Amino acid sequence: MGDSAGQISAFEPPPKPKRNKYALACSFLASMTSILLGYDIGVMSGAILYIQRDLRLSRTQKEVIMGILNVYSLLGSAAAGRTSDWIGRRYTIVFAGAIFFVGALLMGFATNYAFLMAGRFVAGVGVGYALMIAPVYTAEVSPAASRGFLTSFPEVFINFGILLGYVSNFAFSKLRLELGWRLMLGVGAIPSVFIALGVLAMPESPRWLVMQGRLRDAKHVLDKTSDSLAESKLRLAEIKEAAGIPQDCDDDVVAVSRKSHGEGVWRDLLFRPTPAVRHILLCAVGIHFFQQCTGIDSVVLYSPEIFKRAGIKDDTHQLLATMAVGFVKTLFILVATFLLDKVGRRPLLLSSMAGMIVSLVGLAIGLTIIENSERRLIWAIALCLAAVLSYVALFSIGMGPITWVYSSEIFPLRLRAQGCSIGVAANRVTSGALSMSFLSLSGAISIGGAFFLYAGLAVIALSFFYLLYPETQGRTLEEMENLFGTFFRWRATARALKENQDEKENNDGSGTAVVSH
């Protein structure tokens, strides 16, 4: 009887491990760098109202100053891949904070348009570094079971930064014109100091340590960031295999081939990719492109302008409505972090995009009616406000965090830093193009027409995701390459992988049963 009870308990699923607090703390600290981008987006949406009056900017200058940071951030994200392979993920985060600190001070002390643009340039480079490195570090330090939850942290902090920016706008809006906007921008230097100090408490990424041949240090970090010692050994074995280190090598420090240090990465990524890498690159660039071209930065950056066109006329009410956008966006991103590892990436991504399409159409209809109406229509103003709030909520539930989670987890180890930097580059180029053309676009085809255009792009995005994106939930980073490479036929590949896994588990189970017998 006791023997049969033992056999039954052997087949019971192991208890679900608690979330690793050390990995949680590391991911939290690394992701704080994303506050920098969020704060800048949020604060500029309100500060521009006062900058335009103080420096007497033209419409073109206003568009450029709003969106140029995204273009400048390209330089940071392009350099961050190589920098993080060279000095490590940890010190790259410190470097990002230091650059943004200088940029925020320059913007705060700006006396004219050219000076302000110089500050935008420096801050933009810092943001580019921060955007690329936070998801990479977090994906590399997280155990597979909670990777979605932890890798969504950068998006949480972008939203928190946006909310801080909106609050800063409101807090300083009553000060003298020439002082208020400078304080709004200059205060952005404060978070970067805390980030640089916080990073000193973090370990280096275990995957980067293995690439440097520092196996003992990597094992120490993996033991602390894994849900169990067995998982730590498995993760180390997979990373060693990806880095080309023999499994029987247990030295504290080993020599790693130059190939693992980044040589030939661009060739393998862009010029001679395998079908799997080509599929991965298409998915990473696609998800970043569609995240931005469906209008999120136009809504977040130009919220006061949208509410003004919708009929909310005075600055204070525009800023209060904009703060409501920040609160809703932040609230729903927190909900999303808990759903990512329970529901999976695909269901959240597809349902989020479908809801965004409905919200964009509602906003476009509301704005078009208001624009062509002689009198103030309260119901249309309410429709526009509800559509904006539902749009940012639905974005934050799926499209927002999943872009960073998905693109940081699908690349093979050797290509991960540079692969992610290409995705971030696509993200920033698209964001810059939209934010620097929104006023001109809405002038050319009406503001309602602009949102109808974004809705059309969102329909294309939904089809693209449905056809090409496999579910990655619960898979180790080293398993990803097997899942990709068959493009539109990825479902058959996923089924075959599952059958192989089930067969392997059955064989292992029968082997265990024979031994116990």
Side-chain angles (χ1 to χ4, degrees):
M1 181 73 182
D3 190 40
S4 63
Q7 286 178 349
I8 290 166
S9 66
F11 285 100
E12 284 176 0
K16 193 176 178 186
K18 288 182 181 176
R19 206 157 252 154
N20 187 298
K21 288 188 175 65
Y22 189 72
L24 183 80
C26 294
S27 304
F28 187 88
L29 288 169
S31 302
M32 278 178 67
T33 53
S34 303
I35 285 179
L36 306 179
L37 172 67
Y39 184 83
D40 190 89
I41 291 170
V43 83
M44 276 308 285
S45 72
I48 196 67
L49 300 172
Y50 308 102
I51 294 169
Q52 192 173 16
R53 287 171 208 160
D54 191 22
L55 303 182
R56 295 182 175 83
L57 304 185
S58 66
R59 188 174 78 173
T60 304
Q61 285 179 316
K62 179 181 174 181
E63 279 186 321
V64 169
I65 204 77
M66 293 285 271
I68 198 70
L69 183 124
N70 293 311
V71 179
Y72 291 151
S73 70
L74 278 175
L75 297 171
S77 62
R82 200 58 191 262
T83 307
S84 69
D85 280 350
W86 179 41
I87 64 171
R89 314 311 196 211
R90 196 170 83 136
Y91 288 114
T92 304
I93 295 171
V94 176
F95 192 47
I99 297 171
F100 189 86
F101 178 81
V102 174
L105 289 182
L106 287 173
M107 289 191 289
F109 287 110
T111 51
N112 54 39
Y113 185 73
F115 197 156
L116 189 57
M117 283 291 278
R120 299 293 280 163
F121 172 75
V122 178
V125 173
V127 161
Y129 267 95
L131 261 183
M132 201 293 290
I133 197 59
V136 169
Y137 176 89
T138 309
E140 292 186 347
V141 89
S142 309
S146 52
R147 192 175 58 243
F149 172 74
L150 298 177
T151 316
S152 64
F153 276 18
E155 183 69 14
V156 173
F157 280 103
I158 287 176
N159 282 282
F160 185 61
I162 289 171
L163 183 56
L164 284 179
Y166 288 160
V167 171
S168 171
N169 289 154
F170 192 72
F172 297 122
S173 62
K174 303 297 182 199
L175 296 176
R176 284 200 330 270
L177 178 65
E178 63 275 13
L179 177 64
W181 69 263
R182 288 182 170 88
L183 275 174
M184 291 173 193
L185 298 177
V187 164
I190 295 171
S192 56
V193 176
F194 288 107
I195 288 160
L197 292 172
V199 166
L200 299 176
M202 285 163 36
E204 185 47 86
S205 153
R207 286 176 169 81
W208 184 80
L209 290 170
V210 171
M211 284 165 67
Q212 305 306 304
R214 292 163 56 184
L215 296 187
R216 184 184 177 187
D217 292 342
K219 184 178 179 303
H220 180 67
V221 176
L222 283 169
D223 285 349
K224 291 176 81 173
T225 58
S226 297
D227 289 331
S228 64
L229 282 176
E231 188 193 3
S232 170
K233 286 178 182 171
L234 180 66
R235 285 172 74 188
L236 182 61
E238 288 170 340
I239 300 166
K240 279 161 75 173
E241 185 181 349
I245 298 171
Q247 292 297 340
D248 56 359
C249 179
D250 288 320
D251 298 345
D252 288 351
V253 180
V254 298
V256 180
S257 68
R258 284 177 63 81
K259 202 176 179 189
S260 293
H261 285 274
E263 281 70 15
V265 166
W266 291 112
R267 183 193 63 218
D268 293 350
L269 201 54
L270 297 176
F271 304 115
R272 283 199 308 201
T274 62
V277 169
R278 195 178 293 120
H279 187 183
I280 286 168
L281 191 62
L282 178 68
C283 287
V285 171
I287 201 167
H288 276 286
F289 171 75
F290 283 118
Q291 186 200 45
Q292 292 300 329
C293 82
T294 47
I296 187 62
D297 273 7
S298 295
V299 170
V300 173
L301 266 175
Y302 292 101
S303 284
E305 180 76 24
I306 292 165
F307 292 134
K308 181 181 170 185
R309 300 279 194 98
I312 300 170
K313 296 300 180 190
D314 70 288
D315 287 357
T316 303
H317 286 120
Q318 285 170 22
L319 292 178
L320 280 170
T322 301
M323 275 175 66
V325 171
F327 276 113
V328 168
K329 207 168 181 301
T330 307
L331 177 67
F332 278 87
I333 188 68
L334 291 171
V335 173
T337 57
F338 294 98
L339 293 176
L340 275 163
D341 289 315
K342 291 187 177 77
V343 179
R345 286 35 158 177
R346 258 180 78 82
L348 278 179
L349 183 63
L350 297 175
S351 54
S352 162
M353 187 54 73
M356 284 163 62
I357 293 167
V358 175
S359 300
L360 285 166
V361 170
L363 179 58
I365 290 169
L367 288 168
T368 303
I369 289 169
I370 289 167
E371 207 165 20
N372 294 293
S373 174
E374 296 292 319
R375 54 205 178 80
R376 186 179 164 89
L377 300 169
I378 299 297
W379 68 266
I381 295 171
L383 173 63
C384 291
L385 185 58
V388 168
L389 294 177
S390 66
Y391 172 77
V392 296
L394 287 156
F395 177 88
S396 293
I397 279 282
M399 190 71 220
I402 288 170
T403 296
W404 303 101
V405 173
Y406 202 90
S407 61
S408 64
E409 69 185 1
I410 58 179
F411 282 102
L413 169 64
R414 206 169 69 78
L415 309 179
R416 189 167 300 135
Q418 281 86 344
C420 285
S421 69
I422 291 173
V424 172
N427 189 292
R428 296 297 87 199
V429 166
T430 314
S431 175
L434 258 73
S435 48
M436 286 197 285
S437 64
F438 177 71
L439 294 177
S440 303
L441 181 68
S442 57
I445 63 172
S446 82
I447 191 163
F451 285 106
F452 275 124
L453 176 63
Y454 295 152
L457 289 166
V459 171
I460 297 169
L462 183 62
S463 309
F464 186 75
F465 297 149
Y466 180 77
L467 293 170
L468 278 168
Y469 284 59
E471 179 59 75
T472 57
Q473 179 194 11
R475 295 188 180 273
T476 67
L477 294 180
E478 284 65 35
E479 281 175 351
M480 293 295 175
E481 218 170 339
N482 299 325
L483 193 58
F484 289 82
T486 49
F487 296 89
F488 297 103
R489 298 191 305 278
W490 63 265
R491 287 173 182 81
T493 307
R495 273 196 303 272
L497 282 171
K498 187 163 189 332
E499 283 165 12
N500 288 344
Q501 193 175 0
D502 290 346
E503 193 178 323
K504 188 180 176 188
E505 283 174 5
N506 287 338
N507 290 340
D508 289 348
S510 61
T512 308
V514 168
V515 170
S516 65
H517 180 71

